Coordinates of all heavy atoms in Angstrom, one line a residue:
M208 N -4.9 -19.8 -23.2 CA -4.1 -19.2 -24.2 C -3.4 -20.2 -25.0 O -2.6 -21.0 -24.5 CB -3.1 -18.3 -23.5 CG -2.1 -17.5 -24.3 SD -1.2 -16.5 -23.1 CE -0.8 -15.2 -24.3
T209 N -3.6 -20.3 -26.3 CA -3.0 -21.4 -27.2 C -1.5 -21.1 -27.3 O -0.7 -22.1 -27.5 CB -3.7 -21.4 -28.6 OG1 -3.6 -20.1 -29.1 CG2 -5.1 -21.9 -28.5
Y210 N -1.2 -19.9 -27.2 CA 0.2 -19.4 -27.3 C 1.2 -20.2 -26.4 O 2.3 -20.5 -26.7 CB 0.1 -18.0 -26.9 CG 1.4 -17.2 -27.0 CD1 2.1 -17.3 -28.2 CD2 1.9 -16.4 -26.0 CE1 3.3 -16.5 -28.3 CE2 3.0 -15.7 -26.1 CZ 3.7 -15.8 -27.2 OH 4.9 -15.1 -27.3
I211 N 0.7 -20.6 -25.2 CA 1.5 -21.2 -24.2 C 2.1 -22.6 -24.7 O 3.1 -23.0 -24.2 CB 0.7 -21.4 -22.9 CG1 1.6 -21.6 -21.7 CG2 -0.3 -22.6 -23.0 CD1 0.9 -21.5 -20.4
A212 N 1.4 -23.2 -25.7 CA 1.8 -24.5 -26.2 C 2.9 -24.3 -27.2 O 3.5 -25.3 -27.7 CB 0.6 -25.2 -26.8
S213 N 3.2 -23.1 -27.7 CA 4.1 -22.9 -28.8 C 5.6 -23.1 -28.2 O 5.8 -22.9 -27.0 CB 4.0 -21.6 -29.4 OG 4.7 -20.6 -28.8
A214 N 6.5 -23.6 -29.1 CA 7.8 -23.8 -28.7 C 8.5 -22.5 -28.2 O 9.5 -22.6 -27.5 CB 8.6 -24.4 -29.8
D215 N 8.0 -21.4 -28.7 CA 8.6 -20.1 -28.3 C 8.3 -19.6 -26.9 O 8.9 -18.7 -26.4 CB 8.1 -19.0 -29.3 CG 8.7 -19.2 -30.7 OD1 9.7 -19.9 -30.8 OD2 8.1 -18.6 -31.6
F216 N 7.2 -20.2 -26.3 CA 6.7 -19.7 -25.1 C 7.7 -19.7 -24.0 O 8.0 -18.7 -23.3 CB 5.4 -20.4 -24.7 CG 4.9 -19.9 -23.4 CD1 4.2 -18.7 -23.3 CD2 5.2 -20.6 -22.2 CE1 3.8 -18.2 -22.1 CE2 4.8 -20.1 -21.0 CZ 4.1 -18.9 -20.9
W217 N 8.3 -20.9 -23.7 CA 9.1 -21.0 -22.5 C 10.4 -20.2 -22.5 O 10.7 -19.5 -21.5 CB 9.4 -22.5 -22.1 CG 8.1 -23.1 -21.7 CD1 7.3 -24.0 -22.5 CD2 7.3 -22.9 -20.5 NE1 6.2 -24.3 -21.8 CE2 6.1 -23.6 -20.6 CE3 7.5 -22.1 -19.4 CZ2 5.1 -23.6 -19.6 CZ3 6.6 -22.1 -18.4 CH2 5.4 -22.8 -18.5
P218 N 11.1 -20.1 -23.6 CA 12.2 -19.2 -23.6 C 11.8 -17.7 -23.4 O 12.4 -17.0 -22.7 CB 12.8 -19.3 -25.0 CG 12.4 -20.7 -25.5 CD 11.1 -20.9 -24.8
M219 N 10.7 -17.3 -24.0 CA 10.2 -16.0 -23.8 C 9.7 -15.7 -22.4 O 9.9 -14.7 -21.8 CB 8.9 -15.7 -24.7 CG 9.3 -15.5 -26.2 SD 7.9 -15.2 -27.2 CE 7.3 -13.6 -26.5
Y220 N 9.1 -16.8 -21.8 CA 8.7 -16.7 -20.4 C 9.9 -16.5 -19.5 O 9.8 -15.7 -18.5 CB 7.8 -17.9 -20.1 CG 7.2 -17.9 -18.7 CD1 6.3 -17.0 -18.3 CD2 7.6 -18.9 -17.8 CE1 5.7 -17.0 -17.1 CE2 7.0 -18.9 -16.5 CZ 6.1 -17.9 -16.2 OH 5.5 -17.9 -14.9
R221 N 10.9 -17.3 -19.7 CA 12.1 -17.2 -18.8 C 12.7 -15.8 -19.0 O 13.2 -15.2 -18.0 CB 13.1 -18.3 -19.2 CG 12.9 -19.6 -18.5 CD 14.1 -20.5 -18.5 NE 14.3 -21.0 -19.9 CZ 13.7 -22.0 -20.5 NH1 12.8 -22.7 -19.8 NH2 13.9 -22.3 -21.7
A222 N 12.8 -15.3 -20.2 CA 13.3 -13.9 -20.4 C 12.4 -12.9 -19.6 O 12.9 -11.9 -19.0 CB 13.4 -13.6 -21.9
Y223 N 11.1 -13.1 -19.7 CA 10.2 -12.2 -19.0 C 10.4 -12.2 -17.5 O 10.4 -11.1 -16.9 CB 8.7 -12.7 -19.4 CG 7.7 -11.9 -18.6 CD1 7.5 -10.6 -18.7 CD2 6.8 -12.7 -17.8 CE1 6.5 -9.9 -18.0 CE2 5.8 -12.0 -17.1 CZ 5.6 -10.6 -17.2 OH 4.7 -10.0 -16.5
L224 N 10.7 -13.4 -16.9 CA 10.9 -13.5 -15.5 C 12.2 -12.7 -15.1 O 12.3 -12.4 -13.9 CB 11.0 -14.9 -15.0 CG 9.7 -15.7 -15.2 CD1 9.9 -17.1 -14.5 CD2 8.5 -15.0 -14.6
A225 N 13.0 -12.4 -16.0 CA 14.2 -11.6 -15.7 C 14.0 -10.1 -16.0 O 14.9 -9.3 -15.8 CB 15.4 -12.1 -16.4
S226 N 12.9 -9.7 -16.6 CA 12.7 -8.4 -17.0 C 12.3 -7.4 -15.9 O 11.7 -7.9 -14.9 CB 11.6 -8.3 -18.1 OG 10.3 -8.6 -17.5
S227 N 12.5 -6.1 -16.1 CA 12.1 -5.2 -15.0 C 10.6 -5.1 -14.9 O 10.1 -4.9 -13.8 CB 12.7 -3.8 -15.3 OG 12.3 -3.4 -16.6
A228 N 9.9 -5.3 -16.0 CA 8.4 -5.3 -15.9 C 7.9 -6.4 -15.0 O 7.0 -6.2 -14.1 CB 7.8 -5.6 -17.3
W229 N 8.5 -7.6 -15.0 CA 8.1 -8.7 -14.1 C 8.5 -8.4 -12.7 O 7.8 -8.6 -11.8 CB 8.7 -10.0 -14.6 CG 8.5 -11.1 -13.6 CD1 9.5 -11.6 -12.7 CD2 7.3 -11.7 -13.2 NE1 8.9 -12.5 -11.9 CE2 7.5 -12.6 -12.1 CE3 5.9 -11.6 -13.6 CZ2 6.6 -13.4 -11.5 CZ3 5.0 -12.4 -13.0 CH2 5.3 -13.2 -12.0
L230 N 9.8 -7.9 -12.5 CA 10.3 -7.6 -11.2 C 9.4 -6.6 -10.5 O 9.1 -6.7 -9.3 CB 11.7 -7.1 -11.2 CG 12.7 -8.2 -11.7 CD1 14.1 -7.7 -11.8 CD2 12.7 -9.5 -10.8
H231 N 8.9 -5.6 -11.3 CA 8.0 -4.6 -10.7 C 6.7 -5.2 -10.3 O 6.2 -5.0 -9.2 CB 7.8 -3.5 -11.7 CG 6.8 -2.4 -11.3 ND1 7.1 -1.6 -10.2 CD2 5.6 -2.1 -11.7 CE1 6.0 -0.8 -10.1 NE2 5.1 -1.1 -11.0
R232 N 6.1 -6.0 -11.2 CA 4.8 -6.7 -10.9 C 4.9 -7.6 -9.7 O 4.1 -7.7 -8.9 CB 4.4 -7.5 -12.2 CG 3.0 -8.0 -12.2 CD 2.6 -8.3 -13.6 NE 2.3 -7.1 -14.4 CZ 2.5 -6.9 -15.7 NH1 3.1 -7.9 -16.4 NH2 2.2 -5.8 -16.3
R233 N 6.1 -8.3 -9.6 CA 6.3 -9.2 -8.5 C 6.3 -8.5 -7.2 O 5.8 -8.9 -6.2 CB 7.7 -9.8 -8.8 CG 8.2 -10.9 -8.0 CD 9.6 -11.3 -8.4 NE 9.9 -12.5 -7.7 CZ 10.3 -12.4 -6.4 NH1 10.4 -11.3 -5.8 NH2 10.5 -13.5 -5.7
Q234 N 6.9 -7.3 -7.2 CA 7.0 -6.5 -6.0 C 5.6 -6.1 -5.6 O 5.2 -6.0 -4.4 CB 7.8 -5.2 -6.2 CG 9.3 -5.5 -6.2 CD 9.8 -6.3 -5.0 OE1 9.4 -6.1 -3.8 NE2 10.6 -7.3 -5.2
L235 N 4.7 -5.7 -6.6 CA 3.3 -5.3 -6.3 C 2.6 -6.5 -5.7 O 1.8 -6.3 -4.7 CB 2.6 -4.8 -7.6 CG 3.2 -3.5 -8.2 CD1 2.4 -3.2 -9.5 CD2 3.1 -2.4 -7.2
V236 N 2.8 -7.7 -6.2 CA 2.1 -8.9 -5.7 C 2.5 -9.2 -4.3 O 1.7 -9.4 -3.4 CB 2.3 -10.1 -6.6 CG1 1.7 -11.3 -6.0 CG2 1.7 -9.8 -8.0
L237 N 3.9 -9.1 -4.0 CA 4.4 -9.4 -2.7 C 3.8 -8.4 -1.7 O 3.4 -8.7 -0.6 CB 5.9 -9.3 -2.7 CG 6.7 -10.5 -3.2 CD1 8.1 -10.1 -3.5 CD2 6.5 -11.7 -2.3
A238 N 3.7 -7.1 -2.1 CA 3.2 -6.1 -1.2 C 1.7 -6.3 -0.9 O 1.3 -6.2 0.2 CB 3.4 -4.7 -1.8
R239 N 1.0 -6.6 -2.0 CA -0.4 -6.9 -1.8 C -0.7 -8.1 -0.8 O -1.5 -8.0 0.0 CB -1.1 -7.2 -3.1 CG -2.6 -7.5 -3.0 CD -3.1 -8.3 -4.3 NE -2.5 -9.6 -4.3 CZ -2.6 -10.4 -5.4 NH1 -3.2 -10.0 -6.5 NH2 -2.0 -11.5 -5.4
D240 N 0.2 -9.1 -0.9 CA 0.0 -10.3 -0.1 C 0.8 -10.2 1.2 O 0.9 -11.2 1.9 CB 0.5 -11.6 -0.9 CG -0.5 -11.8 -2.1 OD1 -1.6 -11.4 -2.1 OD2 0.0 -12.5 -3.0
R241 N 1.3 -9.0 1.5 CA 2.0 -8.7 2.8 C 3.2 -9.6 3.0 O 3.4 -10.0 4.2 CB 1.0 -8.7 4.0 CG -0.1 -7.7 3.8 CD -1.2 -8.0 4.8 NE -2.4 -7.1 4.5 CZ -2.5 -5.9 5.0 NH1 -1.6 -5.4 5.7 NH2 -3.5 -5.2 4.7
H242 N 3.8 -10.0 2.0 CA 5.0 -10.8 2.1 C 4.8 -12.1 2.9 O 5.5 -12.4 3.8 CB 6.2 -10.0 2.7 CG 6.7 -8.9 1.7 ND1 7.8 -9.0 0.9 CD2 6.1 -7.7 1.4 CE1 7.9 -7.9 0.2 NE2 6.9 -7.1 0.5
Q243 N 3.6 -12.7 2.6 CA 3.3 -14.0 3.2 C 2.8 -14.9 2.1 O 2.1 -14.5 1.2 CB 2.1 -13.8 4.2 CG 2.5 -13.1 5.4 CD 1.4 -13.1 6.5 OE1 0.3 -13.4 6.2 NE2 1.7 -12.6 7.7
C244 N 3.0 -16.2 2.4 CA 2.5 -17.3 1.5 C 1.0 -17.2 1.6 O 0.4 -17.3 2.7 CB 3.0 -18.6 1.9 SG 2.3 -20.0 1.0
T245 N 0.3 -17.1 0.5 CA -1.2 -17.1 0.5 C -1.8 -18.4 0.8 O -3.0 -18.6 1.0 CB -1.8 -16.5 -0.8 OG1 -1.3 -17.3 -1.9 CG2 -1.4 -15.0 -0.9
V246 N -1.0 -19.5 0.8 CA -1.5 -20.9 1.0 C -1.4 -21.2 2.5 O -2.4 -21.5 3.1 CB -0.8 -21.9 0.2 CG1 -1.3 -23.3 0.4 CG2 -0.9 -21.6 -1.3
C247 N -0.2 -21.1 3.1 CA 0.0 -21.5 4.5 C 0.3 -20.4 5.4 O 0.4 -20.6 6.6 CB 1.2 -22.5 4.5 SG 2.8 -21.8 4.3
G248 N 0.5 -19.1 4.9 CA 0.7 -18.0 5.8 C 2.2 -17.8 6.2 O 2.5 -16.9 7.0
D249 N 3.1 -18.7 5.7 CA 4.5 -18.5 6.0 C 5.0 -17.2 5.6 O 4.7 -16.6 4.6 CB 5.3 -19.6 5.2 CG 6.8 -19.5 5.4 OD1 7.2 -19.9 6.5 OD2 7.4 -19.0 4.6
A250 N 5.8 -16.5 6.6 CA 6.2 -15.2 6.3 C 7.8 -15.1 6.2 O 8.3 -14.1 6.1 CB 5.8 -14.2 7.4
A251 N 8.4 -16.3 6.2 CA 9.9 -16.3 6.2 C 10.4 -16.3 4.7 O 11.5 -15.8 4.5 CB 10.3 -17.6 6.9
G252 N 9.7 -16.8 3.8 CA 10.2 -16.8 2.4 C 11.3 -17.9 2.2 O 11.5 -18.7 3.2
P253 N 12.0 -17.9 1.2 CA 11.8 -17.1 0.0 C 10.5 -17.4 -0.7 O 10.0 -18.5 -0.7 CB 13.0 -17.4 -0.9 CG 13.3 -18.9 -0.5 CD 13.0 -19.0 0.9
F254 N 9.9 -16.4 -1.4 CA 8.6 -16.5 -2.0 C 8.7 -16.6 -3.5 O 9.7 -16.1 -4.1 CB 7.8 -15.3 -1.7 CG 7.5 -15.1 -0.2 CD1 8.1 -14.0 0.5 CD2 6.8 -16.1 0.5 CE1 7.9 -13.9 1.8 CE2 6.6 -16.0 1.8 CZ 7.1 -14.9 2.5
H255 N 7.8 -17.3 -4.0 CA 7.6 -17.5 -5.5 C 6.3 -16.8 -5.8 O 5.4 -16.8 -5.0 CB 7.4 -19.0 -5.8 CG 8.7 -19.8 -5.5 ND1 9.0 -20.8 -6.3 CD2 9.6 -19.7 -4.5 CE1 10.1 -21.4 -5.8 NE2 10.5 -20.7 -4.7
I256 N 6.3 -16.2 -7.0 CA 5.0 -15.6 -7.5 C 4.4 -16.6 -8.4 O 5.0 -17.0 -9.4 CB 5.2 -14.3 -8.2 CG1 6.0 -13.3 -7.2 CG2 3.9 -13.7 -8.6 CD1 5.3 -13.0 -5.9
H257 N 3.3 -17.1 -8.0 CA 2.6 -18.2 -8.8 C 1.5 -17.6 -9.7 O 0.8 -16.7 -9.3 CB 2.0 -19.2 -7.8 CG 1.1 -20.2 -8.5 ND1 1.7 -21.2 -9.3 CD2 -0.2 -20.5 -8.4 CE1 0.7 -22.0 -9.7 NE2 -0.4 -21.6 -9.2
H258 N 1.5 -18.1 -10.9 CA 0.4 -17.7 -11.9 C -0.9 -18.6 -11.6 O -0.9 -19.8 -11.8 CB 0.8 -18.0 -13.3 CG 1.7 -16.9 -13.9 ND1 3.1 -16.9 -13.6 CD2 1.4 -15.9 -14.7 CE1 3.6 -15.8 -14.2 NE2 2.6 -15.2 -14.9
V259 N -1.9 -17.9 -11.1 CA -3.2 -18.6 -10.9 C -3.7 -18.9 -12.3 O -4.4 -19.9 -12.5 CB -4.1 -17.7 -10.2 CG1 -5.5 -18.3 -10.0 CG2 -3.5 -17.3 -8.8
S260 N -3.5 -18.0 -13.2 CA -3.9 -18.2 -14.6 C -2.8 -17.6 -15.5 O -2.1 -16.7 -15.2 CB -5.2 -17.4 -14.9 OG -5.4 -17.2 -16.3
Y261 N -2.6 -18.3 -16.7 CA -1.7 -17.8 -17.7 C -2.4 -17.1 -18.8 O -1.8 -16.9 -19.9 CB -0.8 -19.0 -18.2 CG 0.2 -19.5 -17.3 CD1 -0.1 -20.5 -16.4 CD2 1.5 -19.0 -17.3 CE1 0.8 -21.0 -15.5 CE2 2.5 -19.5 -16.4 CZ 2.1 -20.5 -15.5 OH 3.1 -21.0 -14.7
R262 N -3.6 -16.7 -18.6 CA -4.4 -16.2 -19.7 C -3.9 -14.9 -20.2 O -4.0 -14.6 -21.4 CB -5.9 -16.0 -19.3 CG -6.1 -15.0 -18.2 CD -7.5 -15.1 -17.6 NE -7.6 -14.5 -16.3 CZ -8.0 -13.3 -16.1 NH1 -8.5 -12.5 -17.1 NH2 -8.0 -12.7 -14.9
A263 N -3.2 -14.1 -19.4 CA -2.7 -12.8 -19.8 C -1.2 -12.7 -19.5 O -0.7 -11.7 -19.1 CB -3.5 -11.7 -19.2
V264 N -0.5 -13.9 -19.6 CA 0.9 -13.9 -19.3 C 1.7 -12.8 -20.1 O 1.3 -12.6 -21.3 CB 1.5 -15.3 -19.4 CG1 1.5 -15.7 -20.9 CG2 2.8 -15.4 -18.8
F265 N 2.6 -12.2 -19.5 CA 3.4 -11.0 -20.0 C 2.7 -9.7 -19.7 O 3.4 -8.7 -19.8 CB 3.8 -11.1 -21.5 CG 4.5 -12.4 -21.9 CD1 4.0 -13.2 -22.9 CD2 5.6 -12.8 -21.2 CE1 4.6 -14.4 -23.3 CE2 6.3 -14.0 -21.6 CZ 5.8 -14.8 -22.6
D266 N 1.4 -9.7 -19.4 CA 0.8 -8.5 -19.0 C -0.3 -8.9 -18.0 O -1.5 -8.5 -18.2 CB 0.2 -7.8 -20.2 CG -0.2 -6.4 -19.9 OD1 0.2 -5.8 -18.8 OD2 -1.1 -5.8 -20.6
E267 N 0.1 -9.6 -17.0 CA -0.9 -10.1 -16.0 C -1.6 -9.1 -15.2 O -0.9 -8.2 -14.6 CB -0.2 -11.1 -15.1 CG 0.5 -12.3 -15.7 CD 2.0 -11.9 -16.0 OE1 2.3 -10.7 -16.0 OE2 2.7 -12.9 -16.3
P268 N -2.9 -9.2 -15.1 CA -3.5 -8.4 -14.0 C -3.0 -9.0 -12.7 O -2.8 -10.2 -12.6 CB -5.0 -8.6 -14.2 CG -5.2 -9.7 -15.1 CD -3.9 -10.0 -15.8
L269 N -2.9 -8.2 -11.6 CA -2.4 -8.7 -10.4 C -3.2 -9.9 -9.8 O -2.7 -10.7 -9.1 CB -2.2 -7.6 -9.3 CG -1.2 -6.5 -9.7 CD1 -1.0 -5.6 -8.6 CD2 0.1 -7.1 -10.2
D270 N -4.5 -9.9 -10.2 CA -5.4 -11.0 -9.7 C -5.0 -12.4 -10.3 O -5.4 -13.4 -9.8 CB -6.8 -10.8 -10.2 CG -7.5 -9.7 -9.3 OD1 -6.9 -9.3 -8.3 OD2 -8.6 -9.3 -9.7
D271 N -4.2 -12.4 -11.3 CA -3.7 -13.7 -11.9 C -2.5 -14.2 -11.2 O -2.0 -15.3 -11.6 CB -3.4 -13.5 -13.4 CG -4.7 -13.5 -14.2 OD1 -5.8 -13.6 -13.7 OD2 -4.6 -13.4 -15.5
L272 N -2.0 -13.5 -10.2 CA -0.7 -13.8 -9.5 C -1.0 -13.9 -8.0 O -1.8 -13.2 -7.5 CB 0.3 -12.7 -9.8 CG 0.6 -12.5 -11.3 CD1 1.5 -11.2 -11.5 CD2 1.4 -13.6 -11.9
T273 N -0.2 -14.9 -7.4 CA -0.3 -15.0 -6.0 C 1.0 -15.4 -5.4 O 1.9 -15.9 -6.1 CB -1.4 -16.0 -5.6 OG1 -1.8 -15.9 -4.3 CG2 -1.0 -17.5 -5.9
T274 N 1.2 -15.0 -4.1 CA 2.5 -15.3 -3.4 C 2.4 -16.7 -2.8 O 1.5 -17.0 -2.1 CB 2.7 -14.2 -2.4 OG1 2.7 -12.9 -3.0 CG2 4.1 -14.4 -1.7
A275 N 3.5 -17.5 -3.0 CA 3.6 -18.8 -2.3 C 5.0 -19.0 -1.9 O 5.9 -18.6 -2.5 CB 3.1 -19.9 -3.3
C276 N 5.2 -19.8 -0.7 CA 6.5 -20.2 -0.3 C 6.9 -21.3 -1.3 O 6.1 -21.9 -2.0 CB 6.5 -20.6 1.1 SG 5.6 -22.1 1.5
S277 N 8.2 -21.8 -1.2 CA 8.6 -22.8 -2.2 C 7.9 -24.1 -2.0 O 7.5 -24.7 -3.0 CB 10.1 -22.9 -2.2 OG 10.6 -22.9 -0.9
G278 N 7.6 -24.5 -0.8 CA 6.9 -25.7 -0.5 C 5.5 -25.7 -1.1 O 5.0 -26.6 -1.8
C279 N 4.7 -24.6 -0.8 CA 3.4 -24.5 -1.3 C 3.4 -24.3 -2.9 O 2.4 -24.7 -3.5 CB 2.6 -23.3 -0.7 SG 2.3 -23.7 1.1
H280 N 4.4 -23.6 -3.4 CA 4.5 -23.5 -4.8 C 4.6 -24.8 -5.5 O 3.9 -25.1 -6.5 CB 5.6 -22.5 -5.2 CG 5.5 -22.0 -6.6 ND1 6.6 -21.7 -7.4 CD2 4.5 -21.8 -7.4 CE1 6.2 -21.3 -8.6 NE2 4.9 -21.4 -8.6
S281 N 5.4 -25.7 -5.0 CA 5.5 -27.1 -5.6 C 4.1 -27.7 -5.5 O 3.7 -28.4 -6.4 CB 6.5 -27.9 -4.8 OG 7.7 -27.3 -4.8
W282 N 3.5 -27.6 -4.4 CA 2.2 -28.2 -4.1 C 1.2 -27.7 -5.1 O 0.4 -28.5 -5.7 CB 1.7 -28.0 -2.7 CG 0.4 -28.5 -2.4 CD1 0.1 -29.8 -2.2 CD2 -0.8 -27.8 -2.3 NE1 -1.3 -29.9 -1.9 CE2 -1.9 -28.7 -2.0 CE3 -1.1 -26.4 -2.5 CZ2 -3.2 -28.3 -1.9 CZ3 -2.5 -26.0 -2.3 CH2 -3.5 -26.9 -2.1
L283 N 1.2 -26.4 -5.4 CA 0.2 -25.8 -6.3 C 0.4 -26.4 -7.7 O -0.5 -26.7 -8.4 CB 0.4 -24.3 -6.4 CG -0.1 -23.5 -5.2 CD1 0.4 -22.1 -5.2 CD2 -1.6 -23.5 -5.2
H284 N 1.7 -26.7 -8.1 CA 2.0 -27.2 -9.4 C 1.7 -28.7 -9.5 O 1.2 -29.2 -10.6 CB 3.4 -26.9 -9.9 CG 3.5 -25.5 -10.4 ND1 3.3 -25.1 -11.7 CD2 3.7 -24.3 -9.7 CE1 3.4 -23.8 -11.8 NE2 3.7 -23.3 -10.6
M285 N 1.8 -29.4 -8.4 CA 1.5 -30.8 -8.4 C 0.0 -31.0 -8.5 O -0.5 -32.0 -9.2 CB 2.0 -31.5 -7.2 CG 3.5 -31.9 -7.3 SD 4.3 -32.4 -5.8 CE 3.0 -32.5 -4.6
R286 N -0.7 -30.1 -7.9 CA -2.1 -30.2 -7.9 C -2.8 -29.8 -9.2 O -3.8 -30.3 -9.6 CB -2.6 -29.1 -6.8 CG -4.0 -29.4 -6.3 CD -4.3 -28.3 -5.3 NE -4.1 -27.0 -5.9 CZ -4.9 -25.9 -5.8 NH1 -5.9 -26.0 -4.9 NH2 -4.7 -24.8 -6.4
A287 N -2.1 -28.9 -10.0 CA -2.7 -28.5 -11.2 C -2.7 -29.5 -12.3 O -1.9 -30.4 -12.3 CB -1.9 -27.2 -11.7
Ligands
ZN129 ZN1 3.3 -21.8 2.0
ZN130 ZN1 3.6 -21.4 -10.1

């Protein structure tokens, strides 16, 4: 998505992460992943919802999102 490179993206993305649409989607992803990190299986949390893809950001199919603990979430971003 070329849109992600625009200066408007990050402020909009931060606002989206505080929206009820995101909070709802986040709950669906957590439930699907049984409240466990999909990388290491940690079940203690706190969990981050990681974007596997930003292709449909703001209206992500649940397949584009995955649950990660904070340690694995950092690792996912360092790897990318
Ligand atoms: Zn983990
Ligand atoms: Zn992430």
Side-chain angles (χ1 to χ4, degrees):
M208 177 177 208
T209 53
Y210 184 52
I211 200 167
S213 87
D215 291 342
F216 177 80
W217 292 105
M219 283 179 66
Y220 183 62
R221 274 194 295 274
Y223 173 59
L224 295 186
S226 72
S227 57
W229 170 254
L230 293 177
H231 177 66
R232 193 160 282 141
R233 187 179 186 286
Q234 287 308 316
L235 294 177
V236 174
L237 281 168
R239 182 200 63 194
D240 294 338
R241 298 167 188 275
H242 294 259
Q243 289 188 349
C244 173
T245 56
V246 181
C247 72
D249 176 78
F254 298 114
H255 297 214
I256 304 302
H257 174 67
H258 280 80
V259 179
S260 163
Y261 286 89
R262 67 196 159 95
V264 69
F265 305 126
D266 191 23
E267 303 90 345
L269 298 187
D270 285 351
D271 282 1
L272 302 167
T273 195
T274 303
C276 68
S277 39
C279 292
H280 194 209
S281 305
W282 177 77
L283 285 166
H284 279 271
M285 277 170 5
R286 202 181 53 140

